[in-house]
Amino acid sequence: MYDLIILGGGPAGYNAAERAAHGGLKTLVFEERALGGVCLNEGCIPTKTLLYSAKILDYAHHGEKYGVTVEGAKLDHAKVVDRKDKVVKTLVSGVGAKMKGAGVTVVNGTAKITGKSADGFTVECGADKYEAKKLLICTGSEAVVPPVPGLREAVGTGLAVTNREVLDRRELPKEVVVIGGGVIGLEMASYFNSVGCKVSVIEMMDKIAGPTDAEISKILQNNYAKRGVEFILGAKVVKVTDNKGSGVVEYEKDGKTVGVKCDLILVSTGRRARTKDIGLEELGVAMNRGAVITDESCRTNIPGVWAAGDVNGKIMLAHTAYREGEVAVSDMLGIKDKVDYRSIPSVIYTNPEVGCVGETLESAKKAGLDVEEHTISLRYSGRYIAENEGGDGIVKIIVGKEHKNVLGVHMIGTYASEIIYGAAMMVAREMRVKDVQKLVFPHPSVCEVIREGMFSIK
C-alpha cells in the first residue's frame, strides 16, 4: 500500500512526487512515456533549444548593424535536432535521478484507476495492481487536431504535424503553413522563419497570441511581418489537400476561399486535458469539457483525489503545473496552501520575447475593476538601445485607480522572460506603485524601465 499514487510524470507529477516523498509519503509515479512529460520531451525545452540556435543565426545574419560582419553563416537543422535530443536526454536523466534520490518508485506504463475502497484506491498497470491511500492526477494534455476535411489524413501521412512530431523532423521544409497563431504556433513560426522557410500563419481570431495585450500582439506581428512571415487573420481553415508530400491549405476569409501551398502543416490549434480511459468517470470525478474540476488547493470532488497541471485545464503552463503539484501535496500533508492564479506569468519565446502577468486593460474591465494603464518605451533603457538597433519594445503597467496597486505588467522586448518574474512578485504581493518606486533596479538593465514606468504614474 502506497500513501500516494501519481498518474503522470510531467512537471506536476514529478515535482509533486519529490515533495511528497520528502514529506514522508510513500510515493509511486506512473509515466507511460518519458519522465518530464510534454514540457521536457516535446514542448518547452526542445522548442527553446531550437529557438536558441535560430537566435544565433539571426545574430550572424544581422550583425552588420552592430559593426560585426559574418559571412557564410548557415544552420544545420539535423545537428540542431541532435543537440535538442541531447539536451532532453540529459534533463530526463536528471528527473530520474531526482526520483531515485527521493525514494520515489517510478513505473513505466499506462495506468488506470479501477477501484475505490475504505482504505483507498486501486490502480492497474498491465497485469499488476497497486493500492494507495491518495491519488494525484497529472496526466497532462494533448494537441487538438480539428475536424477539418483532409487534415487528420494529412497528419497520418506526415504532411501535417503537431508539436510532438515537428521537433523530430531532420529535414527543413520549404513552405510551412501554421494553423493557429497561439504560443506554440508563433514560436515554431519564428524558428522556421529564421532558418529560411516561407511561413504563413492562419488564425481564426483577428489577432495573434491569444489573450496577450492587443498592442503587444500587434508589435510582435509587425516584427515578424517585416521578416517575411505572412499572417492571415480572421480566417477559417476549411480543407487540406495532400498531394503526396506537397499540400494545399484552403481557408475562408471575407466570403472568399483561398488556397496556400506548402510542404509542411503545423497544427497548433490548442490542447485538451488527457482524461480519457484512466478511470475518472467510473470514480465519479467531476469534469468540465473534459478537464478535471479542482479548487484552489487542487482537490477534486472525490475525497482523497487531487489533480494538478494541464489535466485541470486552468492555465496550461509547466510552471503552473509545478505550483499546483506543490499545493496538492501541501494539502495532503495538512499544510494550508493555495494557487494564486492571478500572478502566474506567461512568456512567448519569440525574438523579441513577450512576457505577461496579471490583468490587461481589457481583462480588468471585463472583471469590473477600476484600473488605469501606463505604457513606457523600452527605449528609456540605455542597455536596450545599446543592444537593439531600431527596437520597438514597450512595457505596460496596469494599476488599480484607488490604491495604485500593481495588477498587471506586460512587455515585449529582450530578456522579457527573465524580467517578468519580478513583475509577478509585484502582482502576487499586491505591491503599490510607491513601494516599487523605492526598489533599486540594476543599471544599466532593461528591467529598470519598469521602475521608470512607476514614476510616470501619478
Side-chain angles (χ1 to χ4, degrees):
M1 170 72 77
Y2 287 89
D3 295 311
L4 172 64
I5 284 180
I6 301 175
L7 275 65
Y14 74 73
N15 191 48
E18 184 181 19
R19 299 301 174 96
H22 288 316
L25 301 181
K26 184 181 178 184
T27 304
L28 165 66
V29 174
F30 287 104
E31 172 52 51
E32 64 182 13
R33 301 191 72 188
L35 285 171
V38 169
C39 174
L40 179 46
N41 293 280
E42 55 200 50
C44 320
I45 302 303
T47 55
K48 303 316 162 283
T49 307
L50 267 63
L51 287 169
Y52 186 69
S53 293
K55 185 181 288 187
I56 292 174
L57 183 65
D58 283 340
Y59 286 154
H61 282 163
H62 305 290
E64 67 277 0
K65 293 180 181 178
Y66 307 92
V68 179
T69 301
V70 179
E71 295 182 0
K74 62 181 181 178
L75 179 141
D76 186 326
H77 180 68
K79 287 185 177 179
V80 173
V81 173
D82 287 340
R83 181 171 181 271
K84 178 266 297 183
D85 291 340
K86 182 180 72 173
V87 169
V88 170
K89 184 178 179 181
T90 298
L91 293 173
V92 169
S93 297
V95 174
K98 270 192 169 187
M99 296 299 93
K100 185 177 181 180
V104 174
T105 301
V106 177
V107 175
N108 287 108
T110 302
K112 183 174 182 178
I113 306 160
T114 56
K116 182 181 184 301
S117 67
D119 296 326
F121 305 88
T122 302
V123 177
E124 294 185 12
C125 181
D128 298 320
K129 290 186 178 181
Y130 304 83
E131 293 185 333
K133 299 172 185 176
K134 299 177 177 66
L135 294 178
L136 177 57
I137 312 303
C138 303
T139 47
S141 64
E142 60 190 358
V144 173
V145 178
V148 173
L151 183 57
R152 291 183 180 176
E153 291 81 359
V155 170
T157 65
L159 171 66
V161 294
T162 68
N163 65 291
R164 175 183 291 180
E165 299 87 16
V166 72
L167 295 166
D168 291 330
R169 287 179 58 96
R170 299 184 63 82
E171 294 183 1
L172 285 172
K174 293 181 180 179
E175 298 177 307
V176 183
V177 169
V178 179
I179 304 177
V183 175
I184 296 171
L186 291 173
E187 289 183 353
M188 290 310 301
S190 171
Y191 178 77
F192 284 126
N193 172 253
S194 291
V195 300
C197 305
K198 183 180 183 300
V199 181
S200 302
V201 177
I202 304 175
E203 167 58 48
M204 286 186 68
M205 305 294 288
D206 60 0
K207 63 184 282 291
I208 62 171
T212 303
D213 174 86
E215 184 178 359
I216 286 177
S217 295
K218 192 64 177 178
I219 292 172
L220 181 64
Q221 179 183 331
N222 289 342
N223 270 264
Y224 276 91
K226 289 176 183 176
R227 299 177 196 179
V229 175
E230 181 184 13
F231 291 95
I232 305 165
L233 306 182
K236 180 182 178 181
V237 176
V238 293
K239 185 180 178 181
V240 171
T241 303
D242 186 349
N243 298 314
K244 296 181 180 180
S246 63
V248 176
V249 177
E250 295 182 29
Y251 64 88
E252 288 183 355
K253 181 179 171 67
D254 300 329
K256 298 179 181 179
T257 301
V258 182
V260 182
K261 293 181 180 180
C262 61
D263 55 331
L264 181 67
I265 302 167
L266 173 61
V267 185
S268 56
T269 51
R271 301 185 66 82
R272 62 180 166 221
R274 294 187 66 223
T275 55
K276 190 178 179 182
D277 298 329
I278 60 174
L280 296 182
E281 293 90 351
E282 294 82 354
L283 198 59
V285 173
M287 289 187 277
N288 179 33
R289 300 179 68 180
V292 178
I293 297 173
T294 56
D295 64 12
E296 60 187 10
S297 295
C298 298
R299 292 182 291 244
T300 71
N301 64 308
I302 304 298
V305 182
W306 289 256
D310 287 6
V311 74
N312 66 27
K314 290 187 176 180
I315 301 178
M316 291 185 174
L317 298 170
H319 44 279
T320 308
Y322 284 135
R323 180 63 185 138
E324 288 174 337
E326 292 167 356
V327 167
V329 171
S330 292
D331 195 58
M332 295 174 199
L333 297 174
I335 301 168
K336 282 190 174 184
D337 204 356
K338 64 180 182 179
V339 183
D340 180 6
Y341 290 103
R342 303 169 308 151
S343 60
I344 292 177
S346 62
V347 176
I348 306 175
Y349 292 86
T350 43
N351 185 16
E353 295 179 343
V354 174
C356 307
V357 65
E359 303 285 353
T360 62
L361 182 61
E362 183 180 5
S363 69
K365 286 182 176 179
K366 284 184 179 179
L369 301 175
D370 191 15
V371 302
E372 54 191 49
E373 177 185 78
H374 299 267
T375 303
I376 185 168
S377 169
L378 291 191
R379 293 182 65 80
Y380 278 89
S381 159
R383 183 178 184 184
Y384 181 79
I385 293 177
E387 296 182 0
N388 294 271
E389 188 72 20
D392 55 357
I394 61 171
V395 171
K396 286 194 170 189
I397 304 168
I398 309 298
V399 299
K401 282 187 178 180
E402 182 179 359
H403 301 293
K404 292 295 188 287
N405 51 319
V406 182
L407 297 175
V409 176
H410 308 268
M411 66 181 297
I412 179 168
T414 48
Y415 312 113
S417 61
E418 300 294 341
I419 294 170
I420 201 64
Y421 89 95
M425 286 171 40
M426 296 173 195
V427 174
R429 297 292 179 263
E430 299 181 349
M431 293 181 70
R432 298 190 181 192
V433 170
K434 63 181 181 181
D435 299 320
V436 182
Q437 290 173 343
K438 295 176 183 177
L439 297 177
V440 178
F441 287 65
H443 176 78
S445 64
V446 178
C447 67
E448 64 184 327
V449 168
I450 294 177
R451 184 173 184 269
E452 290 291 329
M454 294 296 172
F455 278 101
S456 71
I457 301 172
K458 306 301 181 184

